[in-house]
Amino acid sequence: MDWRTRLVQPQQLAPTGFKSLTVPTYRGSTVLFDSQADVRDDWKQQQDRYTYGLYGTPTAMELAARVGQLEGAHHTFTVPGGQAAITLVYFALCSAGSHALVPYSAYGPNKEMASNLLKRLGVEVEPYDPLIGADIAALIRPNTALIWTESPGSVTMEIQDIPAICKAARALGVPVAIDNTYAAGVLFDAFAHGVDISVQALTKYIGGHSDLLLGTVSVRNEHLKEVVGDTFKQLGLAVSPDDCSLALRGLQTLGIRLTHLEKSTLAIAGWLAEQPMMESVLHPAFASCPGHEIWKRDFTGSASVFSIKFRDEIPAAQVEAFVNALKVFRIGMSWGGVTSLALVYPNLERPGKNYGGRLVRLNIGLEAPEDLRSDIEQALRTGIK
Ligand SMILES: *Cc1c(COP(=O)(O)O)cnc(C)c1O
């Protein structure tokens, strides 16, 4: 053969039999078949055979299976991010004319999709009070196709009574999905508490280093696997095997990171709760967090993200000055990485509540807790008069 042909279709020259501790990063769009009769275009690579890179290379499939095992799922799909996971659930379960329920405290872009894209496609998404519990039954209609939950809620941290919501939904045959990102799939056992679908932004704790975007959708049973898989295939939710490889590495240190982050975060939140300018600390392990009793009943621990609400006498401009004065904490979106972050949320839409630009969300990272505490101390002195 010509050298050009050999360049394109090489023999493997390296010795076989390499054994390492890591999952290889398999890149590939085309998957080879042994004969024309074997050719398939099917997302069910788990039970049948590999068909196309779009549905995951072995690297993505390994990540999906490991996250699924951690969550106790029947099956897990990997998708390009947490928001893609939310999209997949909506598109799998809702059609024109459907009604869905989403808590006020849900991740912002979930609500944004509800009031824009989904509305345009004829799906009505109704917001509800995250603390509603069993009373959710009264909001369920004959066309309700999906109930979202998220616990704790984004930014305002309400803990939901998931078992009560799932019981009411199951009685009326409505599937319940949870955005389980906070719990990293481990601090809250979503399937044991009754949910049908659990999504995570692996971008947060499983990635763990602010350098990748990935998500997962885990399902309880074969029926939901079929329904979600069919839509997964059509949406073309491809993931990068390189990102999956980083997430697999992140999984190896998830346990030790969560343990350390919980401890540091509790220490800093506890100290903040004693500061005179604080109205409340919204951290699930504190009685000041709405739904704290449910957290004690249902969770096995807490994570690194929480919010603080300054007293109403403190002008919003001073809260902003406090955030700007932080030096170790950085200003930025997302959380779950090794770096401590702070962000003011000026436009939170929570009926009956006005946070007036006085709510700051903090993410505690892996810096020494003493440095984080002295950073907050100096920023409070600088910003709050
Ligand atoms: C970050 C986040 C998402 C979205 O994840 P991306 O990977 O950034 O798309 C979804 N839900 C929650 C609760 C999040 O915090």
Side-chain angles (χ1 to χ4, degrees):
M1 298 244 203
D2 187 87
W3 63 273
R4 292 174 190 82
T5 308
R6 279 187 283 128
L7 283 178
V8 175
Q9 300 203 10
Q11 303 280 307
Q12 182 175 334
L13 301 177
T16 56
F18 181 71
K19 287 186 187 173
S20 93
L21 290 164
T22 61
V23 177
T25 303
Y26 288 98
R27 296 194 188 84
S29 49
T30 297
V31 165
L32 299 178
F33 301 96
D34 292 333
S35 71
Q36 179 61 41
D38 289 338
V39 177
R40 302 262 184 291
D41 182 15
D42 192 330
W43 58 270
K44 288 178 199 165
Q45 302 191 123
Q46 200 90 38
Q47 63 246 49
D48 301 338
R49 51 158 301 157
Y50 285 99
T51 57
Y52 191 42
L54 180 59
Y55 316 127
T57 73
T59 316
M61 302 286 283
E62 184 66 27
L63 176 63
R66 288 190 191 180
V67 172
Q69 193 178 57
L70 207 54
E71 291 196 69
H74 174 71
H75 185 82
T76 296
F77 297 88
T78 45
V79 296
Q83 180 66 3
I86 291 168
T87 307
L88 174 55
V89 173
Y90 270 124
F91 278 58
L93 297 181
C94 299
S95 315
S98 296
H99 169 253
L101 289 160
V102 68
Y104 289 124
S105 51
Y107 178 63
N110 178 329
K111 294 185 289 178
E112 198 182 325
M113 167 171 280
S115 49
N116 291 278
L117 185 54
L118 290 166
K119 190 171 173 204
R120 182 145 61 75
L121 298 176
V123 177
E124 184 192 348
V125 185
E126 184 186 350
Y128 71 88
D129 178 352
L131 302 175
I132 197 166
D135 292 342
I136 192 108
L139 300 181
I140 297 175
R141 307 179 193 170
N143 63 336
T144 304
L146 168 65
I147 298 173
W148 270 110
T149 59
E150 185 180 324
S151 181
S154 280
V155 191
T156 44
M157 306 298 289
E158 298 87 345
I159 317 295
Q160 296 198 261
D161 192 342
I162 303 293
I165 291 172
C166 290
K167 190 164 169 237
R170 182 144 303 152
L172 295 165
V174 180
V176 175
I178 188 170
D179 186 331
N180 205 20
T181 300
Y182 176 90
V186 289
L187 303 176
F188 176 69
D189 187 340
F191 291 110
H193 287 90
V195 309
D196 301 292
I197 300 182
S198 166
V199 311
Q200 274 195 72
L202 305 193
T203 308
K204 308 292 165 53
Y205 289 120
I206 291 181
H209 296 76
S210 314
D211 56 1
L212 64 87
L213 288 143
L214 276 174
T216 46
V217 175
S218 295
V219 297
R220 169 184 280 288
N221 56 36
E222 187 64 18
H223 168 68
L224 286 168
K225 176 186 165 186
E226 293 285 335
V227 171
V228 173
D230 193 44
T231 303
F232 168 75
K233 178 173 188 286
Q234 294 177 61
L235 286 174
L237 296 167
V239 298
S240 150
D242 297 280
D243 288 346
C244 291
S245 158
L246 287 172
L248 283 162
R249 183 159 74 170
L251 272 177
Q252 293 181 308
T253 55
L254 178 67
I256 193 161
R257 283 187 285 113
L258 285 177
T259 303
H260 182 89
L261 290 172
E262 174 171 38
K263 197 162 149 245
S264 301
T265 305
L266 283 170
I268 289 167
W271 175 78
L272 276 165
E274 291 164 5
Q275 304 311 306
M277 65 288 275
M278 288 309 147
E279 180 187 286
S280 57
V281 169
L282 302 173
H283 180 301
F286 289 68
S288 49
C289 191
H292 164 68
E293 291 301 322
I294 295 167
W295 173 80
K296 274 208 295 201
R297 184 191 71 190
D298 293 349
F299 281 65
T300 58
S302 58
S304 68
V305 67
F306 68 102
S307 296
I308 50 177
K309 164 72 175 51
F310 284 84
R311 288 191 189 286
D312 283 343
E313 306 87 87
I314 297 172
Q318 291 189 15
V319 175
E320 209 175 303
F322 156 72
V323 168
N324 286 331
L326 290 163
K327 295 190 173 95
V328 182
F329 279 83
R330 314 297 289 271
I331 301 172
M333 239 103 66
S334 203
W335 43 273
V338 301
T339 311
S340 291
L341 299 171
L343 210 58
V344 184
Y345 279 81
N347 302 314
L348 286 167
E349 282 173 33
R350 303 286 190 271
K353 289 245 162 64
N354 180 9
Y355 294 97
R358 295 180 185 86
L359 189 141
V360 178
R361 186 176 72 181
L362 300 174
N363 173 64
I364 304 303
L366 295 180
E367 303 92 343
E370 311 80 72
D371 288 338
L372 295 175
R373 181 173 146 175
S374 32
D375 191 36
I376 296 173
E377 268 175 317
Q378 67 79 24
L380 287 173
R381 274 198 307 274
T382 310
I384 313 290
K385 301 297 165 202

